[in-house]
C-alpha cells in the first residue's frame, strides 16, 4: 500500500505573506508555484518549491487574514534544505540580514556539515552541505 503514497507538502502559517515569499525565493531559491486566495475563508495559500508539484515535495505558506504572529509549538523541529556550499550560502544570507542561529560546521559526533537559519516567522531551517 505505501508504495502509492507520496509526501506532498509541509504547511507553515505565516504572519506576512509577502515577507515570507521573499525570504524563501530570495534566500533559498524556491519559486512560487501557485497561489489560492480564498476571501470567504479569509486565507491565502501559496505553494513554493524547486520543481513541479506533481514530482516534488513543496512548501505551503498559509496566511490567515489579520493574524500577524503565531506561537511556536514545542513539537516542530525544522525544515531541511540541501545546499552546495554551506559556508558561502551562510555568508550571503548573513550579509542579507538572515538570522544564522547555528554557524556552519560538522554535526555533533559526525562529519556532515550543517547550519541553521530562521525564517521571518522564526521557523528553523537546517542547511545541509550536499555534494
Amino acid at each position: 500500500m505505501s508504495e502509492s503514497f507520496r509526501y506532498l507538502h509541509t504547511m507553515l502559517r505565516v504572519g506576512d505573506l509577502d515577507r515570507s515569499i521573499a525570504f524563501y525565493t530570495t534566500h533559498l531559491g524556491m519559486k512560487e508555484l501557485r497561489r489560492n486566495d480564498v476571501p470567504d475563508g479569509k486565507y491565502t495559500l501559496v505553494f513554493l518549491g524547486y520543481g513541479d508539484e506533481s514530482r516534488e515535495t513543496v512548501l505551503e505558506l498559509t496566511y490567515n487574514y489579520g493574524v500577524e504572529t503565531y506561537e511556536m509549538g514545542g513539537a516542530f523541529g525544522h525544515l531541511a534544505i540541501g545546499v552546495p556550499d554551506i559556508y558561502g550560502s551562510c555568508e550571503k544570507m548573513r550579509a542579507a540580514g538572515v538570522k544564522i542561529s547555528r554557524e556552519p560546521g560538522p554535526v555533533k559526533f559526525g562529519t556532515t556539515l550543517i547550519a541553521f537559519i530562521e525564517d521571518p516567522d522564526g521557523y528553523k531551517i537546517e542547511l545541509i552541505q550536499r555534494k
Side-chain angles (χ1 to χ4, degrees):
M1 178 167 110
S2 64
E3 58 275 354
S4 62
F5 289 14
R6 188 172 76 82
Y7 183 36
L8 299 176
H9 66 262
T10 295
M11 185 273 274
L12 298 176
R13 290 182 178 88
V14 299
D16 181 326
L17 192 55
D18 292 333
R19 177 187 70 189
S20 293
I21 291 168
F23 177 86
Y24 285 97
T25 58
T26 300
H27 302 298
L28 297 176
M30 292 183 182
K31 293 181 177 40
E32 183 173 329
L33 304 172
R34 66 183 169 100
R35 179 183 294 241
N36 186 15
D37 189 37
V38 186
D40 290 343
K42 297 185 176 160
Y43 67 88
T44 301
L45 308 177
V46 174
F47 293 82
L48 305 170
Y50 297 110
D52 189 324
E53 264 185 278
S54 67
R55 294 183 307 277
E56 304 281 337
T57 302
V58 300
L59 178 63
E60 174 189 343
L61 300 180
T62 297
Y63 172 68
N64 293 296
Y65 298 2
V67 181
E68 294 180 12
T69 60
Y70 290 92
E71 188 174 318
M72 290 289 169
F76 178 78
H78 62 269
L79 302 175
I81 304 287
V83 299
D85 174 10
I86 198 162
Y87 292 100
S89 296
C90 285
E91 282 311 309
K92 285 179 189 173
M93 289 183 207
R94 184 188 330 279
V98 173
K99 181 178 180 183
I100 311 290
S101 55
R102 189 226 193 248
E103 292 296 325
V107 67
K108 284 184 181 181
F109 311 110
T111 58
T112 302
L113 297 177
I114 66 166
F116 277 88
I117 63 173
E118 291 184 24
D119 85 352
D121 290 281
Y123 292 109
K124 298 208 180 337
I125 301 163
E126 180 181 21
L127 303 178
I128 302 172
Q129 176 85 30
R130 306 290 288 175
K131 295 188 172 44

